[in-house]
């Protein structure tokens, strides 16, 4: 899909509220890419129904076709980034999809914690960490870019399953960087004294 055809952030203003669509978004968050046939098998719906809802999600700018080598099967993937040329203010404002994505991340983590004992032995541990660091806005962007570059060689495996080494599993890599704002009480006043 070319950049010109990608929906702008304003197209995402209304999140499609339908159980099949929410299930498809959750499935895509888990698997990376999926065809309507694969989704139908996993969700217990018809391929036609899944295909219809995937196209509707694409119209809302939530999913896009993943690169593929032709054929009838059309893999889909989540569309995480804003389209080029979107005003900075619109990119910074959380969208309903941002809220849904965070909710899916949280739900996936809860499911992992509840079912960790069912995972193969080699997969029962997790690599979690957090840190508070003091950064400028530019440094925060630099760190985020460094994390993205670190993950880039592995993300190509979403589009090329044949490139996945034996024994791979989809792993959620979630980084949330945000400033820790000071807490204000009702007695606090603005800098201008109001």
């Amino acid at each position: 899909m070319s950049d010109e055809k990608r929906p702008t952030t304003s197209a995402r203003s209304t999140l499609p509220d339908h159980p099949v669509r929410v299930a498809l978004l959750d499935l895509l968050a888990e698997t990376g890419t999926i065809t309507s046939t694969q989704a139908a098998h996993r969700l217990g719906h018809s391929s036609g129904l899944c295909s219809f809802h995937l196209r509707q999600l694409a119209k809302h700018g939530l999913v896009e076709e993943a690169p593929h080598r032709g054929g009838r099967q059309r893999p889909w993937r989540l569309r995480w980034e804003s389209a080029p040329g979107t005003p900075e203010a619109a990119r910074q404002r959380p969208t309903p999809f941002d809220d849904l994505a965070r909710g899916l991340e949280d739900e996936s983590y809860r499911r992992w914690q509840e079912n960790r004992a069912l995972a193969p032995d080699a997969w029962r541990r997790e690599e979690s960490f957090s840190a508070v660091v003091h950064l400028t806005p530019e440094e925060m962007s630099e760190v985020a870019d460094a994390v993205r570059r670190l993950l880039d060689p592995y993300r190509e495996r979403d589009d090329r399953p044949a490139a996945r080494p034996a024994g791979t599993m989809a792993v959620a890599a979630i980084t949330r960087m945000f400033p820790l704002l000071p807490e204000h009480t009702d007695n606090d006043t603005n800098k201008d004294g109001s």
Side-chain angles (χ1 to χ4, degrees):
M1 179 182 297
S2 71
D3 289 340
E4 299 83 36
K5 293 181 181 175
R6 287 184 173 177
T8 62
T9 303
S10 61
R12 300 185 200 159
S13 60
T14 317
L15 179 67
D17 186 19
H18 190 284
V20 173
R21 295 177 195 173
V22 172
L24 286 166
L25 290 170
D26 190 19
L27 189 57
L28 282 166
E30 176 189 333
T31 62
T33 61
I34 199 158
T35 66
S36 60
T37 302
Q38 293 166 331
H41 179 73
R42 291 280 301 269
L43 300 177
H45 298 296
S46 72
S47 176
L49 180 71
C50 290
S51 177
F52 169 79
H53 285 297
L54 284 165
R55 289 191 310 272
Q56 293 302 308
L57 289 168
K59 284 182 183 178
H60 284 272
L62 302 177
V63 302
E64 64 186 356
E65 280 191 58
H68 62 287
R69 297 178 187 243
R72 298 190 70 212
Q73 295 295 322
R74 295 170 57 187
W76 296 88
R77 66 182 178 192
L78 291 174
R79 190 165 162 260
W80 294 99
E81 299 176 346
S82 298
T86 302
E88 184 65 26
R91 279 199 299 266
Q92 298 300 323
R93 186 172 50 249
T95 67
F97 180 59
D98 294 330
D99 294 338
L100 177 65
R102 299 298 85 77
L104 291 174
E105 290 167 0
D106 294 341
E107 175 61 27
S108 294
Y109 187 65
R110 279 192 297 277
R111 186 171 48 234
W112 156 249
Q113 288 181 319
E114 293 168 2
N115 297 294
R116 180 188 299 206
L118 302 176
D121 288 341
W123 286 101
R124 288 193 183 166
R125 66 182 171 85
E126 66 179 65
E127 298 289 344
S128 296
F129 64 91
S130 64
V132 175
V133 292
H134 297 268
L135 304 170
T136 66
E138 294 78 16
E139 289 171 330
M140 188 169 84
S141 293
E142 289 171 8
V143 171
D145 288 342
V147 171
R148 287 185 194 98
R149 283 192 307 273
L150 182 67
L151 294 174
D152 275 346
Y154 304 100
R155 291 198 44 104
E156 75 176 27
R157 295 176 183 176
D158 283 346
D159 302 332
R160 297 179 46 232
R164 299 174 192 166
T168 60
M169 183 179 285
V171 173
I174 301 165
T175 303
R176 296 179 184 176
M177 296 182 68
F178 53 92
L180 297 174
L181 301 175
E183 292 187 36
H184 295 286
T185 65
D186 291 338
N187 296 332
D188 288 343
T189 58
N190 294 335
K191 290 181 180 178
D192 64 3
S194 58

